[in-house]
Amino acid sequence: MKGKIRILLVDDDPNIVQLVRLYLEKENYEVDVAERGDTAVEMFRKNPPHLILLDIMLPGMDGWEVCREIRRTSNIPIIMLSAKGETFDRVLGLELGADDYLVKPFEPKELIARIKAVYRRYQGGDTAPAKEISFPGLNVNISRYSVTYGGRELEMPPKELEVLFFLGSHPNQVFTRQQLLEQVWGFDFFGDSRTVDVHVKRLREKLQGCEQYGWQIKTVWSVGYKFEVK
């Protein structure tokens, strides 16, 4: 790996900052800290890090807004950190484009494991040989992490693109949510099957009208999903 991975830690709790920074630096990560949401966005624009650890309850701009703002221009990995562990908050974080969601209090070792897993998946797209799938109106290139739909390029977070690429690589084959978690997120993913539903929902919103091209992401009730091609 060339150089250190630089992480932007966004949290206004000095105890959390001190603890997380200690563990990250022990793992040889470089750490920048922002105590406000608006400061985090400014730091991101001036010098984008490799990964962001993002609290939700922040002064200036909350974590939801920060995530939304960064996702307008970047697919950088974002792991949300929050004391809010309700399903609604987890789903909202994923819908806004976060790659993972960790509830406080958490074990530092689990945080490190998630950082490594998320970054490994993100980095894999930079070195993999060119891989792409094409259907009428759609082209997905997993090497460049690009999606073209209806003649225009779509902005799409890495995990959404990977779900689309995996399903499209196996047309008309049904996959359970657990199989998709294992194939796309990997065995080291700590989330639950609702994660898959969130990503499929967002894909459908971005691929509206795809039925006219003769394909769609279809729900197979009580089983999972498939990329149906007629």
Side-chain angles (χ1 to χ4, degrees):
M1 182 181 298
K2 297 181 179 179
K4 288 186 177 182
I5 295 175
R6 190 161 47 83
I7 295 176
L8 175 58
L9 171 59
V10 190
D11 201 306
D12 64 338
D13 184 332
N15 294 320
I16 293 289
V17 169
Q18 183 178 8
L19 178 65
V20 172
R21 185 202 285 272
L22 178 67
Y23 274 89
L24 292 179
E25 291 180 344
K26 185 178 178 182
E27 292 289 327
N28 206 34
Y29 294 110
E30 185 177 327
V31 184
D32 295 329
V33 176
E35 297 178 353
R36 295 173 56 91
D38 48 1
T39 303
V41 172
E42 184 179 347
M43 291 175 67
F44 164 77
R45 288 172 176 163
K46 289 182 178 179
N47 190 18
H50 296 98
L51 182 145
I52 296 177
L53 298 177
L54 178 62
D55 188 24
I56 294 177
M57 305 303 290
L58 294 165
M61 180 186 288
D62 67 31
W64 307 131
E65 295 175 281
V66 174
C67 185
R68 187 182 294 111
E69 187 63 30
I70 289 174
R71 278 291 174 258
R72 291 176 196 236
T73 59
S74 174
N75 287 332
I76 183 175
I78 297 175
I79 299 177
M80 302 200 87
L81 309 176
S82 177
K84 298 163 72 69
E86 291 82 2
T87 298
F88 171 80
D89 296 299
R90 290 173 179 266
V91 171
L92 179 57
L94 294 168
E95 285 186 335
L96 290 175
D99 296 275
D100 204 348
Y101 190 110
L102 187 57
V103 179
K104 300 177 182 178
F106 50 80
E107 289 291 330
K109 288 183 179 179
E110 181 180 359
L111 173 62
I112 297 299
R114 293 199 188 205
I115 289 172
K116 290 180 177 179
V118 167
Y119 190 71
R120 183 169 60 247
R121 294 192 299 265
Y122 175 77
Q123 189 184 41
D126 297 330
T127 57
K131 294 180 181 179
E132 61 183 319
I133 56 172
S134 294
F135 295 92
L138 177 70
N139 178 272
V140 184
N141 188 302
I142 198 71
S143 177
R144 297 195 305 269
Y145 269 67
S146 65
V147 179
T148 303
Y149 174 61
R152 64 186 183 89
E153 189 161 343
L154 297 181
E155 291 291 334
M156 189 172 289
K159 288 271 84 59
E160 287 179 30
L161 188 147
E162 290 170 20
V163 171
L164 178 59
F165 182 83
F166 181 78
L167 287 173
S169 298
H170 303 83
N172 296 319
Q173 185 173 339
V174 180
F175 292 93
T176 66
R177 291 167 177 81
Q178 187 59 41
Q179 285 175 322
L180 288 171
L181 282 175
E182 293 172 358
Q183 293 295 326
V184 178
W185 278 264
F187 288 98
D188 47 9
F189 181 68
F190 295 88
D192 57 37
S193 61
R194 185 178 292 270
T195 300
V196 175
D197 298 333
V198 170
H199 284 71
V200 169
K201 175 186 174 185
R202 289 179 63 84
L203 282 170
R204 284 172 168 162
E205 290 172 352
K206 294 175 180 177
L207 300 172
Q208 288 184 15
C210 60
E211 296 86 354
Q212 66 180 308
Y213 294 110
W215 53 266
Q216 63 177 315
I217 299 176
K218 189 169 183 178
T219 301
V220 180
W221 298 111
S222 301
V223 182
Y225 298 100
K226 69 175 179 178
F227 190 93
E228 185 178 77
V229 179
K230 296 181 180 179

